[in-house]
Amino acid sequence: MHRFVKTTALGLGLAIGATATAATAGDFDGFYLGGYASGDFFTNPNTYGFGAQAGYLYEFTPGGYAGFEADAYFPSGSANIYTGAARLGYDFGSPFMAYAKIGAGADQTGTRLWTIGGGGQYDIGNGASLRLGMDRYQDFAGGAADYVAKAGINYTF
């Protein structure tokens, strides 16, 4: 089941990126702030939450972005999670950017964890972009991982 969901999400992201045909690329470089709603559909019962992210992306080559991101995730019924991550993206010459990120952090109880994630971001203009992705959180000591789907909006300055 987990492999199916991850494969489907990756396939949809790549398909959207490949079919994006707008005449101009998105403008994703600079400082950004954003918020999101989330769902962890792999737990029983399912967990919902919200969060916020802030970061910076630098366009190091036409369409290629590198940067960092800080994230605060507030799931219902679980410990809050705070992470920092390196982020890479590519905009395919369109307003769509696929991205991946990897980082580490801790929850509010002090448990250290690492995270990896990916998704897509679509520039809707005037600095705003819609974002859809999935992050995986894993305790450094092992145990079950949490897969959290996130949908939100970013504003780039």
Side-chain angles (χ1 to χ4, degrees):
M1 176 70 172
H2 295 286
R3 175 177 246 156
F4 172 77
V5 172
K6 288 188 271 187
T7 304
T8 301
L10 177 63
L12 287 173
L14 291 174
I16 291 169
T19 60
T21 58
T24 61
D27 188 16
F28 299 102
D29 60 86
F31 288 100
Y32 63 89
L33 294 172
Y36 59 85
S38 65
D40 182 349
F41 306 108
F42 301 103
T43 59
N44 190 8
N46 294 338
T47 303
Y48 301 94
F50 64 94
Q53 68 264 344
Y56 180 80
L57 285 175
Y58 172 74
E59 188 172 14
F60 62 90
T61 188
Y65 298 87
F68 61 89
E69 177 173 281
D71 186 288
Y73 168 46
F74 307 102
S76 61
S78 296
N80 298 341
I81 297 174
Y82 307 96
T83 60
R87 190 167 175 222
L88 290 173
Y90 190 76
D91 73 12
F92 300 97
S94 71
F96 174 82
M97 176 181 65
Y99 70 87
K101 66 182 192 172
I102 187 166
D107 68 16
Q108 73 187 47
T109 67
T111 302
R112 294 176 298 152
L113 52 89
W114 61 275
T115 184
I116 189 168
Q121 197 166 324
Y122 189 83
D123 183 8
I124 57 176
N126 296 323
S129 59
L130 301 176
R131 183 169 164 172
L132 180 64
M134 182 167 289
D135 290 348
R136 178 181 195 259
Y137 298 101
Q138 176 80 47
D139 186 331
F140 276 114
D146 289 323
Y147 294 88
V148 179
K150 298 177 178 181
I153 190 164
N154 277 4
Y155 182 77
T156 302
F157 299 95

